[in-house]
Amino acid sequence: MSEIAKIELGGKVFEFPVITGTENEKAIDISNLRQDTGYITLDTGYKNTGATTSAITFLDGEEGILKYRGYGIEELAEKATFIEVAYLLIYGNLPTQDQLNQFRDSITKHTLVHEDMKQFFEAYPAKAHPMGVLASMVCSLSTFYPESLDPHRSAEAKNLTIHRLIAKLPTLAAWAYKNSTRHPFMYPKNEFDYCKNFLYMMFAMPTEDFNVDPVVVDALNKLLILHADHEQNCSTSTVRIVGSSQANLYATISAGISALWGPLHGGANQEVIEMLEKIHNDGGDVDKWVAKAKDKDDSFRLMGFGHRVYKNFDPRAKIIKKACDDILEKLGVNDPLLAIAKRLEQVALEDEYFKARNLYPNVDFYSGIIYKAIGIPTEMFTVMFALGRLPGWIAQWKEMTENKEPIGRPRQIYTGEVLRTYVPIEKR
Ligand code: CMC
């Protein structure tokens, strides 16, 4: 017999169906709550609220499990390429060789951005944060492809926009960096794979040969896979809600990029490395900084610690921590920040404050050390997160539109003044 939830209000009992996901997650379906009872639910920060059903990503925060379309993140990070994972997230299955070739060819074909867009870059100050530039540039793409303004075109037209976005984001990201250094833009090199091409556009110079250690390309591939989707987080929910208004995909993804920028979300990776540098420059007294993080009168938080859904460990952090050791060793980098990070982790994990609140290192804690080791400047860390998250955002947008979800429109409980009469200014 199917499970039923009962709510008693004003002496009347109302029944609501319980729905169960394929991983046995349960939800009380309150779609008819207001209509039947006149009440709404209140859940700031959506800590207990399922905004949708989704077949893309499963995560179990208690057990530290993360799967994309049923495949464990550990296996994908070890064996797959980022482009394969992007295909998996967006289209639901791992591609056959033919499907992969077609997908890759299509993306390769669209890596160039319109020459006119170069002028936009040049208009930004050199100090512009690359996330601000990226969000604007992605939204600007909509002005070059006016046919994309209608998100409900044929599947073929939708795919073209999807492929364009995946193809052009690395170009826009690398150019945002080149612009900040006032170095010449490097045009995409289509014989390189996705990750190598990005590194080429970031680091190559017209006057020099370009060589990149395969260890660096592999590290980037792994990092992008680990960031590729994370179910209904802040930026993904933003993408779904903006997309639900039928805004075009470029505008929708641009909104996701802006949401990701915040230091409590993707912006944490930049904050982590800045925090580790601060601790290092301050003499490396980890205990002092842990005490600051625990002090309620001090606004300092241990960046890269804690997560809304992971309450045991973040499986991505576990993979990244190991990758970090391997990569630093292979590249022969001896970063003092790694020692501080490890000490900080150890002190925090043994501390009652962190234990009681289930605060563990998250994906951002070690990723910055890898990015730093492979030469990515700190301000670009969140851009790297956006590059990784793009297929997840697209997959979630595609699912939302295909399921014909209604426009997102939460309700509220009003707590303001009830009724006031206008008072002329001279009498206030
Ligand atoms: N350092 C010190 N105390 C913390 C921290 C931290 N990093 N994170 C949470 N707390 C405390 C918080 O003060 C609160 O204590 P109390 O119950 O005494 O008031 C308790 O733990 C619960 O915190 P919360 O802010 O209510 O938890 P949340 O689920 O709303 O926030 C979070 C989750 C990730 C925003 C938060 O843990 C945080 O700010 N972490 C640092 C920023 C960070 O690393 N963000 C990256 C998240 S992973 C990447 C991504 O996918 O976005």
Side-chain angles (χ1 to χ4, degrees):
M1 212 179 84
S2 49
E3 225 179 317
I4 296 279
K6 294 182 182 175
I7 301 181
E8 193 176 332
L9 292 166
K12 240 178 122 183
V13 175
F14 300 89
E15 293 191 344
F16 299 94
V18 169
I19 65 160
T20 308
T22 47
E23 289 271 7
N24 230 12
E25 293 172 295
K26 290 190 188 281
I28 303 166
D29 179 352
I30 54 136
S31 313
N32 292 329
L33 179 69
R34 188 165 182 279
Q35 179 192 304
D36 293 354
T37 68
Y39 286 67
I40 61 166
T41 55
L42 182 62
D43 183 23
T44 49
Y46 310 120
K47 295 190 179 191
N48 307 280
T49 298
T52 188
T53 56
S54 176
I56 302 170
T57 290
F58 171 73
L59 80 78
D60 179 331
E62 278 70 34
E63 298 296 325
I65 296 171
L66 175 62
K67 294 192 247 182
Y68 300 158
R69 301 280 190 189
Y71 295 95
I73 189 70
E74 295 78 5
E75 205 183 1
L76 290 173
E78 196 187 319
K79 300 179 182 160
T81 63
F82 175 63
I83 284 297
E84 253 182 308
V85 170
Y87 186 98
L88 169 70
L89 285 167
I90 296 168
Y91 298 109
N93 290 303
L94 282 170
T96 61
Q97 189 62 58
D98 276 356
Q99 287 167 331
L100 184 62
N101 292 347
Q102 276 178 29
F103 185 55
R104 219 192 271 128
D105 288 352
S106 172
I107 285 171
T108 307
K109 222 190 303 176
H110 293 290
T111 49
L112 267 181
V113 297
H114 199 289
E115 279 296 290
D116 289 352
M117 282 191 87
K118 277 167 78 180
Q119 297 167 39
F120 298 175
F121 281 101
E122 283 153 13
Y124 284 109
K127 285 205 171 100
H129 195 287
M131 282 297 276
V133 177
L134 194 69
S136 324
M137 288 296 170
V138 167
C139 201
S140 301
L141 284 173
S142 62
T143 63
F144 288 82
Y145 304 105
E147 71 282 3
S148 71
L149 296 185
D150 172 10
H152 296 305
R153 294 163 308 141
S154 64
E156 201 187 345
K158 250 192 202 184
N159 274 331
L160 180 60
T161 304
I162 290 173
H163 295 187
R164 274 194 180 125
L165 252 173
I166 298 176
K168 292 182 199 310
L169 200 68
T171 313
L172 295 174
W175 285 14
Y177 168 63
K178 283 287 190 198
N179 192 53
S180 71
T181 58
R182 294 295 193 247
H183 283 166
F185 297 150
M186 298 301 291
Y187 285 90
K189 235 193 179 46
N190 287 342
E191 70 254 36
F192 292 159
D193 70 22
Y194 197 78
C195 292
K196 189 169 175 185
N197 177 46
F198 171 72
L199 292 165
Y200 169 79
M201 290 186 289
M202 275 288 290
F203 299 121
M205 288 297 229
T207 47
E208 290 163 18
D209 287 342
F210 173 72
N211 289 305
V212 61
D213 192 328
V215 169
V216 173
V217 182
D218 285 353
L220 181 57
N221 183 61
K222 204 185 277 280
L223 282 165
L224 295 188
I225 291 174
L226 291 174
H227 286 87
D229 196 44
H230 210 233
E231 53 120 293
Q232 308 311 316
N233 55 82
C234 176
S235 57
T236 302
S237 301
T238 302
V239 162
R240 286 186 87 121
I241 209 158
V242 173
S244 77
S245 76
Q246 303 190 359
N248 68 79
L249 185 58
Y250 298 114
T252 301
I253 297 296
S254 168
I257 293 172
S258 298
L260 186 74
W261 192 0
L264 297 190
H265 190 12
N269 57 11
Q270 174 176 340
E271 302 272 335
V272 169
I273 221 76
E274 287 172 357
M275 172 188 80
L276 294 174
E277 275 163 358
K278 210 188 262 176
I279 299 176
H280 179 60
N281 297 337
D282 187 49
D285 182 354
V286 162
D287 294 310
K288 171 179 152 189
W289 290 86
V290 169
K292 269 168 79 63
K294 288 158 54 178
D295 182 353
K296 290 287 165 205
D297 296 325
D298 191 325
S299 62
F300 175 75
R301 276 190 169 199
L302 271 196
M303 297 314 283
F305 262 78
H307 201 276
R308 170 61 63 77
V309 285
Y310 292 123
K311 297 300 174 198
N312 208 337
F313 67 94
D314 179 339
R316 303 166 301 171
K318 211 169 170 180
I319 301 170
I320 289 186
K321 184 179 175 184
K322 180 160 184 322
C324 190
D325 282 333
D326 292 350
I327 291 158
L328 262 54
E329 196 192 317
K330 280 188 195 146
L331 295 177
V333 174
N334 187 7
D335 190 338
L337 297 191
L338 182 62
I340 292 185
K342 285 191 170 169
R343 171 109 183 88
L344 198 60
E345 180 182 353
Q346 191 195 359
V347 171
L349 291 183
E350 285 165 4
D351 190 288
E352 255 328 294
Y353 173 97
F354 290 86
K355 279 207 249 177
R357 289 167 181 76
N358 297 316
L359 300 171
Y360 298 88
N362 58 50
V363 68
D364 290 327
F365 193 64
Y366 284 106
S367 63
I369 295 176
I370 305 184
Y371 287 137
K372 192 164 169 265
I374 66 177
I376 307 285
T378 315
E379 284 214 326
M380 285 291 289
F381 288 1
T382 314
V383 170
M384 306 305 294
F385 195 150
L387 279 184
R389 186 54 54 87
L390 180 65
W393 287 331
I394 293 174
Q396 301 270 350
W397 168 84
K398 188 164 168 284
E399 178 179 70
M400 188 265 309
T401 53
E402 286 170 359
N403 288 350
K404 299 195 171 26
E405 289 185 15
I407 185 166
R409 206 304 186 182
R411 287 188 173 261
Q412 64 162 21
I413 295 295
Y414 176 68
T415 58
E417 300 284 349
V418 176
L419 181 65
R420 297 202 274 183
T421 308
Y422 181 80
V423 181
I425 197 152
E426 61 281 4
K427 294 201 175 153
R428 280 178 222 157

